PDB file of all heavy atoms in Angstrom:
ATOM      1  N   ARG A   1       0.828  -1.268  -0.009  1.00 86.00           N
ATOM      2  CA  ARG A   1       0.051   0.032  -0.010  1.00 86.00           C
ATOM      3  C   ARG A   1       0.989   1.293  -0.079  1.00 86.00           C
ATOM      4  O   ARG A   1       0.444   2.314  -0.488  1.00 86.00           O
ATOM      5  CB  ARG A   1      -0.935  -0.078   1.263  1.00 86.00           C
ATOM      6  CG  ARG A   1      -2.061  -0.894   1.235  1.00 86.00           C
ATOM      7  CD  ARG A   1      -3.143  -0.509   2.309  1.00 86.00           C
ATOM      8  NE  ARG A   1      -2.580  -0.653   3.581  1.00 86.00           N
ATOM      9  CZ  ARG A   1      -2.786  -1.913   4.261  1.00 86.00           C
ATOM     10  NH1 ARG A   1      -3.448  -2.877   3.693  1.00 86.00           N
ATOM     11  NH2 ARG A   1      -2.326  -2.031   5.487  1.00 86.00           N
ATOM     12  N   ASN A   2       2.036   1.219   0.578  1.00 86.00           N
ATOM     13  CA  ASN A   2       2.796   2.347   0.953  1.00 86.00           C
ATOM     14  C   ASN A   2       4.176   2.448   0.017  1.00 86.00           C
ATOM     15  O   ASN A   2       4.993   3.312   0.455  1.00 86.00           O
ATOM     16  CB  ASN A   2       3.145   2.636   2.407  1.00 86.00           C
ATOM     17  CG  ASN A   2       1.857   2.796   3.176  1.00 86.00           C
ATOM     18  OD1 ASN A   2       1.086   3.771   3.069  1.00 86.00           O
ATOM     19  ND2 ASN A   2       1.416   1.637   3.850  1.00 86.00           N
ATOM     20  N   ALA A   3       4.321   1.587  -0.824  1.00 81.00           N
ATOM     21  CA  ALA A   3       5.589   1.459  -1.509  1.00 81.00           C
ATOM     22  C   ALA A   3       5.953   2.773  -2.253  1.00 81.00           C
ATOM     23  O   ALA A   3       7.236   3.226  -2.203  1.00 81.00           O
ATOM     24  CB  ALA A   3       5.641   0.289  -2.526  1.00 81.00           C
ATOM     25  N   HIS A   4       4.993   3.517  -2.917  1.00 84.00           N
ATOM     26  CA  HIS A   4       5.239   4.730  -3.554  1.00 84.00           C
ATOM     27  C   HIS A   4       5.778   5.830  -2.453  1.00 84.00           C
ATOM     28  O   HIS A   4       6.633   6.594  -2.759  1.00 84.00           O
ATOM     29  CB  HIS A   4       4.065   5.181  -4.150  1.00 84.00           C
ATOM     30  CG  HIS A   4       2.891   5.509  -3.383  1.00 84.00           C
ATOM     31  ND1 HIS A   4       2.064   4.513  -2.713  1.00 84.00           N
ATOM     32  CD2 HIS A   4       2.261   6.638  -3.124  1.00 84.00           C
ATOM     33  CE1 HIS A   4       1.197   5.090  -2.102  1.00 84.00           C
ATOM     34  NE2 HIS A   4       1.223   6.452  -2.188  1.00 84.00           N
ATOM     35  N   LEU A   5       5.167   5.792  -1.268  1.00 87.00           N
ATOM     36  CA  LEU A   5       5.572   6.777  -0.280  1.00 87.00           C
ATOM     37  C   LEU A   5       6.995   6.526   0.253  1.00 87.00           C
ATOM     38  O   LEU A   5       7.864   7.371   0.489  1.00 87.00           O
ATOM     39  CB  LEU A   5       4.645   6.798   0.900  1.00 87.00           C
ATOM     40  CG  LEU A   5       3.282   7.200   0.514  1.00 87.00           C
ATOM     41  CD1 LEU A   5       2.349   7.003   1.852  1.00 87.00           C
ATOM     42  CD2 LEU A   5       3.056   8.656   0.087  1.00 87.00           C
ATOM     43  N   ILE A   6       7.239   5.193   0.521  1.00 84.00           N
ATOM     44  CA  ILE A   6       8.581   4.804   0.925  1.00 84.00           C
ATOM     45  C   ILE A   6       9.715   5.180  -0.171  1.00 84.00           C
ATOM     46  O   ILE A   6      10.720   5.720   0.213  1.00 84.00           O
ATOM     47  CB  ILE A   6       8.637   3.290   1.315  1.00 84.00           C
ATOM     48  CG1 ILE A   6       7.696   2.951   2.353  1.00 84.00           C
ATOM     49  CG2 ILE A   6      10.068   2.695   1.556  1.00 84.00           C
ATOM     50  CD1 ILE A   6       7.456   1.477   2.616  1.00 84.00           C
ATOM     51  N   GLU A   7       9.441   4.851  -1.401  1.00 83.00           N
ATOM     52  CA  GLU A   7      10.309   5.175  -2.461  1.00 83.00           C
ATOM     53  C   GLU A   7      10.608   6.674  -2.530  1.00 83.00           C
ATOM     54  O   GLU A   7      11.624   7.128  -2.667  1.00 83.00           O
ATOM     55  CB  GLU A   7       9.890   4.704  -3.666  1.00 83.00           C
ATOM     56  CG  GLU A   7      10.835   4.939  -4.899  1.00 83.00           C
ATOM     57  CD  GLU A   7      10.249   4.238  -6.182  1.00 83.00           C
ATOM     58  OE1 GLU A   7       9.342   3.526  -6.291  1.00 83.00           O
ATOM     59  OE2 GLU A   7      10.959   4.522  -7.255  1.00 83.00           O
ATOM     60  N   ALA A   8       9.587   7.401  -2.452  1.00 86.00           N
ATOM     61  CA  ALA A   8       9.653   8.860  -2.410  1.00 86.00           C
ATOM     62  C   ALA A   8      10.553   9.489  -1.214  1.00 86.00           C
ATOM     63  O   ALA A   8      11.067  10.502  -1.294  1.00 86.00           O
ATOM     64  CB  ALA A   8       8.296   9.608  -2.432  1.00 86.00           C
ATOM     65  N   ALA A   9      10.527   8.791  -0.170  1.00 86.00           N
ATOM     66  CA  ALA A   9      11.219   9.341   0.985  1.00 86.00           C
ATOM     67  C   ALA A   9      12.808   9.072   0.859  1.00 86.00           C
ATOM     68  O   ALA A   9      13.581   9.709   1.524  1.00 86.00           O
ATOM     69  CB  ALA A   9      10.918   8.478   2.250  1.00 86.00           C
ATOM     70  N   GLY A  10      13.157   8.424  -0.171  1.00 85.00           N
ATOM     71  CA  GLY A  10      14.607   8.254  -0.430  1.00 85.00           C
ATOM     72  C   GLY A  10      15.388   7.321   0.442  1.00 85.00           C
ATOM     73  O   GLY A  10      16.643   7.489   0.641  1.00 85.00           O
ATOM     74  N   ILE A  11      14.741   6.459   1.149  1.00 87.00           N
ATOM     75  CA  ILE A  11      15.356   5.471   2.149  1.00 87.00           C
ATOM     76  C   ILE A  11      15.774   4.150   1.326  1.00 87.00           C
ATOM     77  O   ILE A  11      15.251   3.889   0.178  1.00 87.00           O
ATOM     78  CB  ILE A  11      14.591   5.193   3.398  1.00 87.00           C
ATOM     79  CG1 ILE A  11      13.204   4.665   2.929  1.00 87.00           C
ATOM     80  CG2 ILE A  11      14.396   6.416   4.175  1.00 87.00           C
ATOM     81  CD1 ILE A  11      12.334   4.243   4.148  1.00 87.00           C
ATOM     82  N   ASP A  12      16.474   3.235   1.943  1.00 88.00           N
ATOM     83  CA  ASP A  12      16.953   2.046   1.323  1.00 88.00           C
ATOM     84  C   ASP A  12      16.261   0.805   1.930  1.00 88.00           C
ATOM     85  O   ASP A  12      16.358  -0.327   1.333  1.00 88.00           O
ATOM     86  CB  ASP A  12      18.397   1.823   1.546  1.00 88.00           C
ATOM     87  CG  ASP A  12      19.164   2.952   0.976  1.00 88.00           C
ATOM     88  OD1 ASP A  12      19.164   3.095  -0.355  1.00 88.00           O
ATOM     89  OD2 ASP A  12      19.766   3.808   1.620  1.00 88.00           O
ATOM     90  N   GLY A  13      15.556   0.899   3.098  1.00 89.00           N
ATOM     91  CA  GLY A  13      14.926  -0.270   3.752  1.00 89.00           C
ATOM     92  C   GLY A  13      14.061   0.174   4.895  1.00 89.00           C
ATOM     93  O   GLY A  13      14.338   1.223   5.476  1.00 89.00           O
ATOM     94  N   VAL A  14      13.294  -0.787   5.322  1.00 90.00           N
ATOM     95  CA  VAL A  14      12.448  -0.589   6.488  1.00 90.00           C
ATOM     96  C   VAL A  14      12.359  -1.862   7.401  1.00 90.00           C
ATOM     97  O   VAL A  14      13.027  -2.887   6.987  1.00 90.00           O
ATOM     98  CB  VAL A  14      10.990  -0.267   6.106  1.00 90.00           C
ATOM     99  CG1 VAL A  14      10.985   1.074   5.364  1.00 90.00           C
ATOM    100  CG2 VAL A  14      10.351  -1.488   5.316  1.00 90.00           C
ATOM    101  N   GLY A  15      11.742  -1.743   8.516  1.00 89.00           N
ATOM    102  CA  GLY A  15      11.492  -2.982   9.342  1.00 89.00           C
ATOM    103  C   GLY A  15      10.332  -3.711   8.879  1.00 89.00           C
ATOM    104  O   GLY A  15       9.195  -3.142   8.927  1.00 89.00           O
ATOM    105  N   VAL A  16      10.425  -5.019   8.610  1.00 88.00           N
ATOM    106  CA  VAL A  16       9.423  -5.785   7.978  1.00 88.00           C
ATOM    107  C   VAL A  16       8.926  -6.762   9.209  1.00 88.00           C
ATOM    108  O   VAL A  16       9.816  -7.207   9.913  1.00 88.00           O
ATOM    109  CB  VAL A  16       9.857  -6.497   6.764  1.00 88.00           C
ATOM    110  CG1 VAL A  16       8.842  -7.529   6.358  1.00 88.00           C
ATOM    111  CG2 VAL A  16      10.316  -5.481   5.694  1.00 88.00           C
ATOM    112  N   GLY A  17       7.649  -7.108   9.154  1.00 85.00           N
ATOM    113  CA  GLY A  17       7.249  -8.020  10.112  1.00 85.00           C
ATOM    114  C   GLY A  17       6.393  -9.158   9.442  1.00 85.00           C
ATOM    115  O   GLY A  17       5.654  -8.928   8.483  1.00 85.00           O
ATOM    116  N   PHE A  18       6.627 -10.433   9.874  1.00 83.00           N
ATOM    117  CA  PHE A  18       5.665 -11.427   9.542  1.00 83.00           C
ATOM    118  C   PHE A  18       4.431 -11.538  10.448  1.00 83.00           C
ATOM    119  O   PHE A  18       4.547 -11.235  11.623  1.00 83.00           O
ATOM    120  CB  PHE A  18       6.351 -12.768   9.421  1.00 83.00           C
ATOM    121  CG  PHE A  18       7.449 -12.904   8.457  1.00 83.00           C
ATOM    122  CD1 PHE A  18       8.933 -12.984   8.876  1.00 83.00           C
ATOM    123  CD2 PHE A  18       7.311 -12.877   7.112  1.00 83.00           C
ATOM    124  CE1 PHE A  18       9.929 -13.015   7.962  1.00 83.00           C
ATOM    125  CE2 PHE A  18       8.244 -12.859   6.266  1.00 83.00           C
ATOM    126  CZ  PHE A  18       9.539 -12.998   6.642  1.00 83.00           C
ATOM    127  N   VAL A  19       3.382 -11.914   9.867  1.00 79.00           N
ATOM    128  CA  VAL A  19       2.116 -12.103  10.687  1.00 79.00           C
ATOM    129  C   VAL A  19       1.776 -13.545  10.777  1.00 79.00           C
ATOM    130  O   VAL A  19       2.077 -14.365   9.775  1.00 79.00           O
ATOM    131  CB  VAL A  19       0.985 -11.198   9.972  1.00 79.00           C
ATOM    132  CG1 VAL A  19       1.212  -9.845  10.171  1.00 79.00           C
ATOM    133  CG2 VAL A  19       0.574 -11.671   8.660  1.00 79.00           C
ATOM    134  N   CYS A  20       1.126 -13.933  11.696  1.00 73.00           N
ATOM    135  CA  CYS A  20       0.628 -15.335  11.909  1.00 73.00           C
ATOM    136  C   CYS A  20      -0.674 -15.422  12.616  1.00 73.00           C
ATOM    137  O   CYS A  20      -0.833 -14.594  13.480  1.00 73.00           O
ATOM    138  CB  CYS A  20       1.821 -16.050  12.631  1.00 73.00           C
ATOM    139  SG  CYS A  20       1.830 -17.800  12.607  1.00 73.00           S
ATOM    140  N   ALA A  21      -1.485 -16.330  12.479  1.00 66.00           N
ATOM    141  CA  ALA A  21      -2.763 -16.467  13.007  1.00 66.00           C
ATOM    142  C   ALA A  21      -2.496 -16.904  14.407  1.00 66.00           C
ATOM    143  O   ALA A  21      -1.753 -17.839  14.801  1.00 66.00           O
ATOM    144  CB  ALA A  21      -3.685 -17.543  12.411  1.00 66.00           C
ATOM    145  N   ASP A  22      -3.080 -16.005  15.368  1.00 63.00           N
ATOM    146  CA  ASP A  22      -3.182 -16.463  16.891  1.00 63.00           C
ATOM    147  C   ASP A  22      -3.840 -17.792  16.987  1.00 63.00           C
ATOM    148  O   ASP A  22      -4.907 -17.982  16.524  1.00 63.00           O
ATOM    149  CB  ASP A  22      -3.778 -15.410  17.770  1.00 63.00           C
ATOM    150  CG  ASP A  22      -3.795 -15.636  19.125  1.00 63.00           C
ATOM    151  OD1 ASP A  22      -4.568 -16.626  19.643  1.00 63.00           O
ATOM    152  OD2 ASP A  22      -2.960 -15.013  19.827  1.00 63.00           O
ATOM    153  N   PRO A  23      -3.196 -18.857  17.687  1.00 58.00           N
ATOM    154  CA  PRO A  23      -3.868 -20.132  17.844  1.00 58.00           C
ATOM    155  C   PRO A  23      -5.164 -20.094  18.530  1.00 58.00           C
ATOM    156  O   PRO A  23      -5.970 -21.087  18.426  1.00 58.00           O
ATOM    157  CB  PRO A  23      -2.764 -21.076  18.403  1.00 58.00           C
ATOM    158  CG  PRO A  23      -1.877 -20.051  19.151  1.00 58.00           C
ATOM    159  CD  PRO A  23      -1.958 -18.894  18.318  1.00 58.00           C
ATOM    160  N   VAL A  24      -5.338 -19.149  19.332  1.00 61.00           N
ATOM    161  CA  VAL A  24      -6.623 -19.145  20.175  1.00 61.00           C
ATOM    162  C   VAL A  24      -7.761 -18.269  19.546  1.00 61.00           C
ATOM    163  O   VAL A  24      -8.813 -18.723  19.272  1.00 61.00           O
ATOM    164  CB  VAL A  24      -6.229 -18.510  21.568  1.00 61.00           C
ATOM    165  CG1 VAL A  24      -7.537 -18.347  22.437  1.00 61.00           C
ATOM    166  CG2 VAL A  24      -5.301 -19.360  22.280  1.00 61.00           C
ATOM    167  N   THR A  25      -7.358 -17.041  19.019  1.00 69.00           N
ATOM    168  CA  THR A  25      -8.335 -16.177  18.512  1.00 69.00           C
ATOM    169  C   THR A  25      -8.417 -16.174  17.041  1.00 69.00           C
ATOM    170  O   THR A  25      -9.411 -15.801  16.363  1.00 69.00           O
ATOM    171  CB  THR A  25      -7.963 -14.701  18.884  1.00 69.00           C
ATOM    172  OG1 THR A  25      -6.837 -14.344  18.349  1.00 69.00           O
ATOM    173  CG2 THR A  25      -7.942 -14.558  20.349  1.00 69.00           C
ATOM    174  N   GLY A  26      -7.398 -16.670  16.290  1.00 68.00           N
ATOM    175  CA  GLY A  26      -7.285 -16.783  14.864  1.00 68.00           C
ATOM    176  C   GLY A  26      -6.986 -15.379  14.272  1.00 68.00           C
ATOM    177  O   GLY A  26      -6.786 -15.312  13.110  1.00 68.00           O
ATOM    178  N   LYS A  27      -6.868 -14.405  15.092  1.00 71.00           N
ATOM    179  CA  LYS A  27      -6.548 -13.027  14.625  1.00 71.00           C
ATOM    180  C   LYS A  27      -5.047 -12.969  14.128  1.00 71.00           C
ATOM    181  O   LYS A  27      -4.082 -13.667  14.668  1.00 71.00           O
ATOM    182  CB  LYS A  27      -6.661 -12.093  15.730  1.00 71.00           C
ATOM    183  CG  LYS A  27      -6.338 -10.563  15.323  1.00 71.00           C
ATOM    184  CD  LYS A  27      -6.459  -9.638  16.475  1.00 71.00           C
ATOM    185  CE  LYS A  27      -6.321  -8.241  16.196  1.00 71.00           C
ATOM    186  NZ  LYS A  27      -6.374  -7.314  17.234  1.00 71.00           N
ATOM    187  N   GLN A  28      -4.819 -12.338  12.916  1.00 70.00           N
ATOM    188  CA  GLN A  28      -3.407 -12.239  12.420  1.00 70.00           C
ATOM    189  C   GLN A  28      -2.697 -11.242  13.219  1.00 70.00           C
ATOM    190  O   GLN A  28      -3.117 -10.088  13.340  1.00 70.00           O
ATOM    191  CB  GLN A  28      -3.533 -11.607  10.956  1.00 70.00           C
ATOM    192  CG  GLN A  28      -4.187 -12.737  10.031  1.00 70.00           C
ATOM    193  CD  GLN A  28      -3.408 -13.991   9.761  1.00 70.00           C
ATOM    194  OE1 GLN A  28      -2.189 -13.974  10.081  1.00 70.00           O
ATOM    195  NE2 GLN A  28      -4.010 -15.050   9.224  1.00 70.00           N
ATOM    196  N   LEU A  29      -1.518 -11.579  13.751  1.00 69.00           N
ATOM    197  CA  LEU A  29      -0.804 -10.731  14.582  1.00 69.00           C
ATOM    198  C   LEU A  29       0.764 -10.646  13.958  1.00 69.00           C
ATOM    199  O   LEU A  29       1.208 -11.562  13.394  1.00 69.00           O
ATOM    200  CB  LEU A  29      -0.692 -11.376  15.956  1.00 69.00           C
ATOM    201  CG  LEU A  29      -1.984 -11.632  16.720  1.00 69.00           C
ATOM    202  CD1 LEU A  29      -1.702 -12.284  18.036  1.00 69.00           C
ATOM    203  CD2 LEU A  29      -2.467 -10.226  17.025  1.00 69.00           C
ATOM    204  N   ASP A  30       1.358  -9.533  14.298  1.00 71.00           N
ATOM    205  CA  ASP A  30       2.735  -9.442  14.134  1.00 71.00           C
ATOM    206  C   ASP A  30       3.404 -10.427  14.992  1.00 71.00           C
ATOM    207  O   ASP A  30       3.338 -10.268  16.233  1.00 71.00           O
ATOM    208  CB  ASP A  30       3.247  -7.918  14.265  1.00 71.00           C
ATOM    209  CG  ASP A  30       4.676  -7.816  14.217  1.00 71.00           C
ATOM    210  OD1 ASP A  30       5.470  -8.591  13.789  1.00 71.00           O
ATOM    211  OD2 ASP A  30       5.134  -6.666  14.443  1.00 71.00           O
ATOM    212  N   ILE A  31       4.287 -11.360  14.444  1.00 73.00           N
ATOM    213  CA  ILE A  31       4.748 -12.375  15.416  1.00 73.00           C
ATOM    214  C   ILE A  31       6.035 -11.891  16.038  1.00 73.00           C
ATOM    215  O   ILE A  31       6.374 -12.715  17.054  1.00 73.00           O
ATOM    216  CB  ILE A  31       5.011 -13.643  14.517  1.00 73.00           C
ATOM    217  CG1 ILE A  31       6.081 -13.488  13.512  1.00 73.00           C
ATOM    218  CG2 ILE A  31       3.697 -14.223  14.152  1.00 73.00           C
ATOM    219  CD1 ILE A  31       6.383 -14.713  12.841  1.00 73.00           C
ATOM    220  N   SER A  32       6.723 -10.821  15.643  1.00 69.00           N
ATOM    221  CA  SER A  32       7.933 -10.493  16.279  1.00 69.00           C
ATOM    222  C   SER A  32       7.929 -10.421  17.769  1.00 69.00           C
ATOM    223  O   SER A  32       8.800 -10.795  18.533  1.00 69.00           O
ATOM    224  CB  SER A  32       8.642  -9.460  15.603  1.00 69.00           C
ATOM    225  OG  SER A  32       7.888  -8.206  15.670  1.00 69.00           O
ATOM    226  N   PRO A  33       6.895  -9.757  18.410  1.00 65.00           N
ATOM    227  CA  PRO A  33       6.898  -9.614  19.870  1.00 65.00           C
ATOM    228  C   PRO A  33       6.705 -10.879  20.592  1.00 65.00           C
ATOM    229  O   PRO A  33       6.907 -11.006  21.731  1.00 65.00           O
ATOM    230  CB  PRO A  33       5.731  -8.545  20.140  1.00 65.00           C
ATOM    231  CG  PRO A  33       5.334  -7.986  18.846  1.00 65.00           C
ATOM    232  CD  PRO A  33       5.843  -9.058  17.768  1.00 65.00           C
ATOM    233  N   TYR A  34       6.307 -11.945  19.807  1.00 69.00           N
ATOM    234  CA  TYR A  34       5.969 -13.209  20.521  1.00 69.00           C
ATOM    235  C   TYR A  34       6.894 -14.301  20.244  1.00 69.00           C
ATOM    236  O   TYR A  34       6.703 -15.439  20.699  1.00 69.00           O
ATOM    237  CB  TYR A  34       4.652 -13.639  20.030  1.00 69.00           C
ATOM    238  CG  TYR A  34       3.400 -12.697  20.216  1.00 69.00           C
ATOM    239  CD1 TYR A  34       3.145 -11.782  19.139  1.00 69.00           C
ATOM    240  CD2 TYR A  34       2.878 -12.456  21.435  1.00 69.00           C
ATOM    241  CE1 TYR A  34       2.136 -10.855  19.340  1.00 69.00           C
ATOM    242  CE2 TYR A  34       1.850 -11.496  21.539  1.00 69.00           C
ATOM    243  CZ  TYR A  34       1.608 -10.677  20.604  1.00 69.00           C
ATOM    244  OH  TYR A  34       0.512  -9.719  20.877  1.00 69.00           O
ATOM    245  N   VAL A  35       8.067 -13.970  19.671  1.00 75.00           N
ATOM    246  CA  VAL A  35       8.971 -15.037  19.427  1.00 75.00           C
ATOM    247  C   VAL A  35       9.570 -15.642  20.762  1.00 75.00           C
ATOM    248  O   VAL A  35       9.555 -16.865  20.810  1.00 75.00           O
ATOM    249  CB  VAL A  35      10.262 -14.457  18.672  1.00 75.00           C
ATOM    250  CG1 VAL A  35      11.364 -15.499  18.530  1.00 75.00           C
ATOM    251  CG2 VAL A  35       9.854 -13.991  17.343  1.00 75.00           C
ATOM    252  N   ILE A  36       9.795 -14.744  21.813  1.00 77.00           N
ATOM    253  CA  ILE A  36      10.509 -15.224  22.909  1.00 77.00           C
ATOM    254  C   ILE A  36       9.452 -15.658  23.984  1.00 77.00           C
ATOM    255  O   ILE A  36       9.654 -16.602  24.841  1.00 77.00           O
ATOM    256  CB  ILE A  36      11.412 -14.198  23.511  1.00 77.00           C
ATOM    257  CG1 ILE A  36      12.370 -14.770  24.540  1.00 77.00           C
ATOM    258  CG2 ILE A  36      10.576 -13.182  24.174  1.00 77.00           C
ATOM    259  CD1 ILE A  36      13.457 -13.820  24.998  1.00 77.00           C
ATOM    260  N   ASP A  37       8.252 -15.386  23.729  1.00 75.00           N
ATOM    261  CA  ASP A  37       7.074 -15.707  24.586  1.00 75.00           C
ATOM    262  C   ASP A  37       6.276 -16.870  24.059  1.00 75.00           C
ATOM    263  O   ASP A  37       5.217 -17.326  24.655  1.00 75.00           O
ATOM    264  CB  ASP A  37       6.201 -14.455  24.816  1.00 75.00           C
ATOM    265  CG  ASP A  37       6.866 -13.438  25.707  1.00 75.00           C
ATOM    266  OD1 ASP A  37       7.645 -13.754  26.569  1.00 75.00           O
ATOM    267  OD2 ASP A  37       6.449 -12.282  25.576  1.00 75.00           O
ATOM    268  N   ALA A  38       6.582 -17.365  23.004  1.00 69.00           N
ATOM    269  CA  ALA A  38       5.758 -18.282  22.183  1.00 69.00           C
ATOM    270  C   ALA A  38       5.590 -19.517  23.047  1.00 69.00           C
ATOM    271  O   ALA A  38       6.422 -20.223  23.621  1.00 69.00           O
ATOM    272  CB  ALA A  38       6.553 -18.763  20.946  1.00 69.00           C
ATOM    273  N   GLY A  39       4.260 -19.837  23.031  1.00 72.00           N
ATOM    274  CA  GLY A  39       3.859 -21.036  23.766  1.00 72.00           C
ATOM    275  C   GLY A  39       3.801 -22.343  22.949  1.00 72.00           C
ATOM    276  O   GLY A  39       3.617 -23.467  23.422  1.00 72.00           O
TER     277      GLY A  39
END
């Protein structure tokens, strides 16, 4: 959605996150905060 804005900003890269379905709620979540807490 925002590739054109990122390109216009003149930067070379950003922080990317993978999402994954929560096993309880099914909601798609950014998984990086849960790597170390994973059950």
Side-chain angles (χ1 to χ4, degrees):
R1 283 195 297 265
N2 298 288
H4 63 293
L5 297 175
I6 295 170
E7 183 173 352
I11 60 178
D12 299 290
V14 297
V16 176
F18 293 115
V19 296
C20 198
D22 184 285
V24 177
T25 65
K27 183 180 178 182
Q28 295 290 344
L29 300 172
D30 175 4
I31 61 178
S32 61
Y34 302 97
V35 174
I36 200 167
D37 289 329

